[in-house]
Amino acid sequence: MNDRQKSPQQLDQITTAIISAWHEGHGGSADQAYIFQGDEGIVVMIPKALYQAELNLLHNYSSGSKLLDRYLRSLLETVAIEVSLDIEECLNKKIAEAIPLVDMSAGWAIIFYRFDNSPENNGQ
């Protein structure tokens, strides 16, 4: 296994940390997270991150959607920051940026983690 590839157990640690942090801050029925890893960063996707009531609010009351979107992004940003250290330890990569995104139509929470690929942070 090269330095870029991590074992399923290591990635499971990250998904467990993400789900735990999301449940602590928001709750809901999210029971899984998926990680896609590349050279520049990782993407964490949390399906079923929103409550059905939140999705109903979005579909029925457009005036409430901006407020709910801001709230969920703020919450997801907190989760992203909280889990950043776990990701850095697990993947042995420094996180340069975490970008939270909430797909209001699908009810998914998504975090884009961009690695800091500068030579001083990669031991080069």
Side-chain angles (χ1 to χ4, degrees), residues 42-57:
I42 65 170
V43 176
V44 178
M45 301 175 84
I46 308 170
K48 300 180 193 171
L50 305 185
Y51 287 109
Q52 187 60 46
E54 292 169 326
L55 295 172
N56 292 343
L57 177 69

Side-chain angles (χ1 to χ4, degrees), residues 84 100 102 104 106-107:
S84 288
V102 178
M104 302 299 243

Side-chain angles (χ1 to χ4, degrees), residues 4 37-42 93-94 96-97 113-117:
R4 216 181 106 220
Q37 183 181 357
D39 292 335
E40 301 297 318
I42 65 170
K93 292 272 195 175
K94 181 88 172 136
E97 183 177 26
Y113 287 98
R114 188 175 60 80
F115 296 141
D116 182 347
N117 288 323

Side-chain angles (χ1 to χ4, degrees), residues 6-75:
K6 296 298 173 184
S7 73
Q9 293 81 12
Q10 289 170 306
L11 297 179
D12 283 347
Q13 291 172 350
I14 295 171
T15 59
T16 299
I18 290 277
I19 293 296
S20 176
W22 182 255
H23 282 170
E24 185 177 313
H26 180 265
S29 60
D31 58 355
Q32 275 189 306
Y34 300 97
I35 295 178
F36 301 93
Q37 183 181 357
D39 292 335
E40 301 297 318
I42 65 170
V43 176
V44 178
M45 301 175 84
I46 308 170
K48 300 180 193 171
L50 305 185
Y51 287 109
Q52 187 60 46
E54 292 169 326
L55 295 172
N56 292 343
L57 177 69
L58 292 170
H59 295 296
N60 297 322
Y61 303 101
S62 61
S63 61
S65 66
K66 287 184 182 180
L67 181 61
L68 182 60
D69 182 56
R70 275 187 255 142
Y71 162 72
L72 291 170
R73 281 181 192 244
S74 176
L75 176 61

Side-chain angles (χ1 to χ4, degrees), residues 72-78 80 98-102 110-112:
L72 291 170
R73 281 181 192 244
S74 176
L75 176 61
L76 190 56
E77 184 174 19
T78 301
I99 304 164
L101 173 68
V102 178
I110 303 163
I111 307 169
F112 297 95

